[in-house]
């Protein structure tokens, strides 16, 4: 039996033995099948990067599901958005249960010399593929709807997008106004084929979602989106100060995905794929449907290589290579 920590911790049982994991405020505790997780759960129901627990202020611990295939439960309820943990909460990851024990009086955030909470350290640098979609001419388009209808439309879009991304094993996702960002992490032990197919399928399904909303709500003018996809290294971690930490990705790979999406409006095309993503595509997906070109991107001094592909061509390509 391991020793029970005096501070905030998790309690669980393995092979009949009680075990404990201390949760100091500085630790981002990650769960998953991958060997780089804080808690490695060898269970096929568990995704490689499944969930995480982080401290966002004195005594404020939150659990976040990282887009896992089978979900994370707290007291039997699936975690959809980050959920604050309280004493005695039962966390289920696959078939393993962890009990959260709080010790508020022992929790304190790291302080700088000036007495201000220091920035949370990034967790790791990984290779990721980023998908960004955004509604074109959103300001003018939204003004024709009115606040009530606009709220219903964006809520429906986000709900459906969330289901699509989770079904395609996204590692993390963010919704920034009318923009949707999905992040897939490349596992060094697995082929990039699976990841990139999931990204392309998600991209196609995002366009299908918008077409469905057009039909459902009967917009006076078409609702159109563009999509940017890019692959590269990024810092993944819990970033920010006390109480404002946010598990996200930072780096040029992310920035370029947003710039590629913006460029689809200038070029009047559906999807732009970064050159790094193109280089990582498996041979059967390297179709002439991807038209290579040099694309001016905001913030970059020189045009950047990218590939343009239409929704119709992408749909045919994925159908043919399934």
């Amino acid at each position: 039996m391991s020793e029970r920590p005096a501070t905030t911790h998790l309690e669980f049982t393995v092979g009949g033995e009680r075990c404990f994991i201390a949760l100091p405020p500085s630790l981002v505790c990650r769960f998953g099948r991958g060997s780089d997780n804080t808690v490695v759960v060898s269970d096929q129901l568990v995704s490689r990067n499944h969930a995480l627990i982080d401290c966002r202020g004195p005594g404020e611990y939150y659990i976040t599901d990282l887009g896992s295939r089978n979900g994370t439960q707290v007291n039997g309820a699936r975690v959809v958005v980050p959920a604050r943990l309280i004493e005695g909460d039962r966390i289920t990851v696959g078939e393993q249960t962890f009990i959260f024990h709080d010790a508020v009086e022992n929790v304190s955030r790291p302080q700088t010399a000036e007495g201000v909470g220091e920035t949370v350290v990034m967790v790791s640098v990984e290779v990721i593929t980023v998908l960004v979609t955004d509604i074109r001419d959103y300001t003018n388009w939204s003004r024709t709807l009115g606040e009530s209808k606009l709220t219903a439309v964006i809520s429906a879009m986000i709900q459906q997008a969330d289901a699509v991304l989770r079904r395609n094993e996204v590692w993390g996702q963010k919704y920034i106004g009318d923009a949707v960002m999905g992040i897939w992490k490349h596992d060094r032990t697995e082929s990039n084929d699976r990841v990139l197919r999931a990204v392309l399928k998600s991209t196609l399904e995002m366009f299908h979602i918008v077409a469905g909303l057009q039909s459902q709500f009967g917009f006076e003018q078409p609702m159109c989106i563009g999509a940017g996809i890019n692959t590269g290294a990024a810092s993944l971690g819990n970033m920010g100060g006390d109480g404002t930490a946010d598990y996200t990705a930072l780096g040029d790979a992310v920035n370029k995905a947003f710039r590629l999406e913006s460029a689809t409006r200038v070029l009047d095309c559906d999807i732009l794929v970064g050159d790094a993503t193109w280089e990582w595509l498996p041979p059967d997906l390297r179709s002439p449907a991807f038209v290579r070109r040099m694309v001016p991107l905001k913030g970059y001094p020189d045009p950047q290589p990218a590939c343009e592909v239409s929704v119709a061509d992408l749909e045919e390509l994925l159908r043919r290579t399934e």
Side-chain angles (χ1 to χ4, degrees), residues 16 45 60 72 81 115 118 133 146 150 165 176 179 187 189 202 220 232 264 294 313:
L45 295 175
E60 295 183 7
T72 303
V81 297
E118 64 184 353
T133 66
L150 177 63
L165 294 174
I176 310 163
D187 192 311
T189 65
S202 296
E220 293 182 5
T264 63
M294 300 300 292
D313 285 342

Coordinates of all heavy atoms in Angstrom, one line a residue, residues 16 45 60 72 81 115 118 133 146 150 165 176 179 187 189 202 220 232 264 294 313:
G16 N -6.3 -5.0 -5.8 CA -6.6 -5.0 -4.4 C -5.8 -4.1 -3.5 O -6.1 -4.1 -2.3
L45 N -10.3 0.8 -23.6 CA -11.4 1.8 -23.6 C -10.9 3.2 -23.4 O -11.6 4.2 -23.5 CB -12.4 1.5 -22.5 CG -13.2 0.2 -22.6 CD1 -14.0 -0.1 -21.3 CD2 -14.1 0.2 -23.8
E60 N -8.9 24.9 -6.3 CA -9.7 24.8 -7.5 C -9.1 23.8 -8.5 O -8.3 24.2 -9.3 CB -10.0 26.1 -8.1 CG -10.7 27.1 -7.2 CD -11.0 28.4 -7.9 OE1 -10.7 28.5 -9.1 OE2 -11.4 29.4 -7.2
T72 N -15.0 10.6 -20.3 CA -14.6 10.6 -18.9 C -15.8 10.9 -18.1 O -16.6 11.8 -18.4 CB -13.5 11.7 -18.6 OG1 -12.4 11.5 -19.5 CG2 -13.0 11.7 -17.2
V81 N -17.6 19.8 -20.6 CA -16.7 21.0 -20.4 C -15.9 20.8 -19.1 O -16.3 19.9 -18.3 CB -17.6 22.3 -20.3 CG1 -18.3 22.5 -21.6 CG2 -18.5 22.2 -19.1
G115 N 5.1 38.3 -5.3 CA 3.9 37.9 -4.7 C 2.8 37.6 -5.7 O 1.6 37.4 -5.3
E118 N 2.9 32.8 -10.5 CA 3.7 32.7 -11.7 C 3.0 32.0 -12.8 O 2.0 31.2 -12.6 CB 5.0 32.0 -11.4 CG 4.9 30.5 -10.9 CD 6.2 29.9 -10.5 OE1 7.2 30.5 -10.7 OE2 6.1 28.8 -10.0
T133 N -11.8 26.2 -38.9 CA -12.9 26.6 -39.8 C -13.5 27.9 -39.3 O -13.5 28.1 -38.1 CB -14.0 25.6 -40.0 OG1 -14.7 25.4 -38.7 CG2 -13.4 24.2 -40.4
G146 N -30.3 38.5 -36.4 CA -30.8 38.9 -35.1 C -30.2 38.0 -34.0 O -29.8 36.9 -34.3
L150 N -29.3 34.0 -34.2 CA -27.8 33.8 -34.3 C -27.3 32.9 -33.2 O -26.5 32.0 -33.4 CB -27.1 35.2 -34.2 CG -25.6 35.1 -34.2 CD1 -25.0 34.5 -35.5 CD2 -25.0 36.5 -33.9
L165 N -15.9 16.2 -34.1 CA -14.5 16.1 -33.7 C -14.2 15.0 -32.8 O -13.2 14.3 -32.9 CB -14.1 17.5 -33.1 CG -14.1 18.7 -34.0 CD1 -13.8 20.0 -33.2 CD2 -13.1 18.5 -35.1
I176 N -14.1 29.6 -30.8 CA -13.8 31.0 -30.6 C -14.8 31.8 -31.4 O -14.6 32.1 -32.6 CB -12.3 31.3 -31.0 CG1 -11.4 30.3 -30.4 CG2 -11.9 32.8 -30.7 CD1 -10.0 30.3 -31.0
A179 N -15.5 30.6 -34.9 CA -14.4 29.8 -35.4 C -14.4 28.5 -34.6 O -14.6 28.4 -33.4 CB -13.1 30.5 -35.3
D187 N 1.1 10.6 -32.7 CA 1.7 9.6 -31.8 C 2.9 9.1 -32.5 O 2.8 8.6 -33.7 CB 0.8 8.5 -31.5 CG 1.3 7.6 -30.3 OD1 2.4 7.2 -30.4 OD2 0.5 7.4 -29.4
T189 N 4.4 6.4 -32.2 CA 4.4 5.0 -32.4 C 3.4 4.6 -33.5 O 3.2 3.4 -33.8 CB 4.1 4.2 -31.1 OG1 2.8 4.6 -30.7 CG2 5.1 4.6 -30.0
S202 N -13.0 15.2 -40.7 CA -13.6 16.3 -39.9 C -13.9 17.5 -40.7 O -14.9 18.2 -40.6 CB -12.7 16.6 -38.7 OG -12.6 15.5 -37.8
E220 N -31.3 33.8 -45.6 CA -31.6 34.6 -46.8 C -30.4 34.6 -47.7 O -30.5 34.6 -48.9 CB -32.0 36.0 -46.4 CG -33.3 36.1 -45.7 CD -33.7 37.6 -45.3 OE1 -32.9 38.5 -45.7 OE2 -34.7 37.8 -44.7
G232 N 2.7 20.7 -37.7 CA 4.0 21.2 -37.2 C 4.1 21.0 -35.7 O 3.2 20.5 -35.0
T264 N -8.3 31.5 -47.6 CA -9.3 30.9 -48.5 C -10.3 32.0 -48.9 O -10.9 31.9 -50.0 CB -10.1 29.8 -47.8 OG1 -10.8 30.3 -46.6 CG2 -9.1 28.7 -47.3
M294 N 1.6 28.9 -54.3 CA 2.2 29.8 -53.3 C 1.2 30.8 -52.8 O 0.5 31.5 -53.6 CB 3.4 30.5 -53.9 CG 4.5 29.6 -54.3 SD 5.2 28.6 -53.0 CE 6.0 29.8 -52.0
D313 N -14.0 17.7 -54.4 CA -12.9 16.8 -54.7 C -12.4 16.0 -53.4 O -12.0 14.8 -53.5 CB -11.7 17.6 -55.2 CG -11.9 18.1 -56.7 OD1 -12.8 17.5 -57.3 OD2 -11.2 19.0 -57.1

